[in-house]
């Protein structure tokens, strides 16, 4: 999936014109924060995991990491991140541009970590390593067609 595919997806929500593209990389939390002139915690990073029977995405604040104990309690499975190749195969996004928008399969569940709720707005990527969009956490929930708000992270 490319930024153009994400742009087309976001048109359904009248948000495509709000995508920001940068002349520099925003592929990591720190690079995105620098490109956006914001604190790293406001970067909404999308992490990809494999459950025994499906693929899931978890979007969390940039200053958080998966808490293995919380994850296992919620999903009843050990946290197993996808490899870079698997991420691209399942999401059509390359690492650095992974986002929860317009995924190629309805079989991928999206969850938002409650760590995002402490901010008025956050910045998820938009399908490329030099893009982002500013959304309220609630709008991110709606646009990503998220399954639920969960608490599976802790401070890094």
């Amino acid at each position: 999936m490319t930024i153009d595919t994400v742009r087309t997806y976001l048109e359904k929500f009248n948000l495509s014109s709000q995508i920001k593209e940068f002349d520099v990389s925003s592929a990591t939390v720190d690079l995105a924060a620098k490109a956006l002139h914001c604190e790293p915690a406001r970067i909404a990073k999308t992490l990809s995991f494999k459950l025994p029977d499906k693929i899931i995405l978890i979007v969390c604040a940039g200053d958080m990491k998966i808490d293995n104990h919380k994850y296992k309690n919620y999903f009843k499975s050990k946290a197993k991140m996808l490899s870079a190749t698997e991420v691209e195969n399942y999401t059509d996004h390359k690492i650095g541009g992974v986002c929860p928008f317009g995924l190629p399969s309805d079989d991928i569940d999206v969850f938002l970590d409650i760590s995002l709720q402490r901010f008025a707005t956050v910045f998820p990527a938009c399908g490329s390593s030099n893009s982002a969009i500013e959304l309220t956490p609630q709008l991110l929930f709606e646009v990503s067609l998220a399954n639920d708000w969960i608490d599976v992270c802790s401070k890094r």
Side-chain angles (χ1 to χ4, degrees), residues 5-39:
T5 306
V6 172
R7 185 175 281 112
T8 299
Y9 175 79
L10 292 175
E11 281 176 7
K12 295 185 279 187
F13 301 91
N14 296 315
L15 294 170
S16 62
S17 65
Q18 294 181 36
I19 295 174
K20 301 171 189 308
E21 292 186 78
F22 314 109
D23 293 330
V24 296
S25 175
S26 60
T28 67
V29 167
D30 290 335
L31 290 173
K34 187 175 179 182
L36 288 157
H37 307 289
C38 73
E39 63 181 299

Side-chain angles (χ1 to χ4, degrees), residues 1 37 41-42 101 107 111 124 135:
M1 188 175 295
H37 307 289
R42 287 185 57 209
F101 309 126
D107 293 334
F111 296 89
L135 301 171

